[in-house]
């Protein structure tokens, strides 16, 4: 069975646990309807698959310096959210859409910054030459899929935010801290895929 077939089969399962839906902002706290966005979860097709992640530059208005999947807000010209994720991945890391085998849409997640993000799961060839978009992406790197999806690495933490305590997940890999919406989407993928190496 190919990696793409394995992922597609796993995506069809009922999640092992309840899925995370958002950063904990109550509907009445939202000042506007959420902005549609999509990210690509690019899984490398190798014996031990990995996931390509980016570190955003410190100069960005939203989520500066954070680790994220390539992606962003939907544009009026995007035919759907898959197109959004593929366009953004090409812009941010130079990943050509033709190199991606799209598996499907994962579970939407609403961020505290007002985005409703749809992860798009895709498989890409290993060892592609990717390039970080200057001014937007400070670095890009690959983390083993099995590591990301292992619940033992999903740490529930909290921090003060706007006068109250906000709870979120973080995943620590080498010197990288994956947290917030990206970590929550990884936790959801772990619960849906029930992956084993």
């Amino acid at each position: 069975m190919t990696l793409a077939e394995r992922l597609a089969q796993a995506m069809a399962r009922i999640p092992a646990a309840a899925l995370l839906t958002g950063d904990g902002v109550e509907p009445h706290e939202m000042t506007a309807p959420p902005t549609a966005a999509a990210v690509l979860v690019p899984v490398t097709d190798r014996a031990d698959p990995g996931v390509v992640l980016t570190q955003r530059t410190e100069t960005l208005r939203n989520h500066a310096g954070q680790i994220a999947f390539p992606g962003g807000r939907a544009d009026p010209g995007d035919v759907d959210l898959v197109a959004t994720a593929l366009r953004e991945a090409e812009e941010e890391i130079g990943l050509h859409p033709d190199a991606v085998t799209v598996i499907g849409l994962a579970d939407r997640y609403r961020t505290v910054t007002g985005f409703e993000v749809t992860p798009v799961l895709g498989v890409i060839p290993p060892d592609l030459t990717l390039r970080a978009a200057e001014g937007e992406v400070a670095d890009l790197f690959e983390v083993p899929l099995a590591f990301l999806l292992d619940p033992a690495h999903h740490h529930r933490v909290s921090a003060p935010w706007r006068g109250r305590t906000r709870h979120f997940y973080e995943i620590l890999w080498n010197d990288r801290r994956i947290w917030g919406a990206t970590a929550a989407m990884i936790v959801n993928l772990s619960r849906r895929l029930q992956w084993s190496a």
Side-chain angles (χ1 to χ4, degrees):
M1 184 181 300
T2 68
L3 175 61
E5 289 168 337
R6 226 180 130 196
L7 285 168
Q9 188 177 71
M11 283 287 286
R13 294 186 191 128
I14 295 171
L19 297 174
L20 307 171
T21 58
D23 284 341
V25 178
E26 298 298 326
H28 70 273
E29 295 177 293
M30 301 295 288
T31 57
T35 300
V39 296
L40 182 67
V41 183
V43 181
T44 53
D45 192 359
R46 57 174 96 243
D48 293 314
V51 176
V52 176
L53 290 163
T54 69
Q55 180 151 9
R56 297 167 65 83
T57 62
E58 296 290 344
T59 56
L60 292 174
R61 189 178 65 187
N62 288 318
H63 313 293
Q66 290 185 15
I67 291 172
F69 296 114
R73 73 177 66 223
D75 281 354
D78 296 336
V79 296
D80 56 22
L81 291 171
V82 170
T84 298
L86 294 176
R87 174 184 53 74
E88 287 281 343
E90 185 170 27
E91 291 173 6
E92 290 183 14
I93 64 171
L95 176 60
H96 195 279
D98 291 344
V100 183
T101 300
V102 174
I103 305 302
L105 304 181
D107 303 283
R108 284 181 303 204
Y109 188 84
R110 185 175 288 192
T111 72
V112 72
T113 50
F115 291 93
E116 187 169 69
V117 184
T118 300
V120 176
L121 188 62
V123 174
I124 64 173
D127 306 316
L128 287 175
T129 300
L130 302 173
R131 52 163 179 72
E134 189 176 339
E136 196 168 351
V137 177
D139 193 16
L140 55 97
F141 58 96
E142 186 174 335
V143 183
L145 177 67
F147 180 93
L148 288 177
L149 299 185
D150 184 345
H153 301 136
H154 304 164
H155 306 289
R156 187 109 162 114
V157 296
S158 61
W161 184 78
R162 293 188 182 173
R164 67 182 192 194
T165 301
R166 181 180 165 203
H167 300 278
F168 54 91
Y169 280 92
E170 71 175 10
I171 300 166
L172 305 175
W173 183 76
N174 293 342
D175 60 343
R176 312 278 187 172
R177 178 179 179 244
I178 306 163
W179 67 282
T182 301
M185 288 184 270
I186 290 168
V187 168
N188 279 347
L189 281 170
S190 172
R191 292 175 179 180
R192 182 169 289 286
L193 296 176
Q194 302 166 45
W195 195 257
S196 58

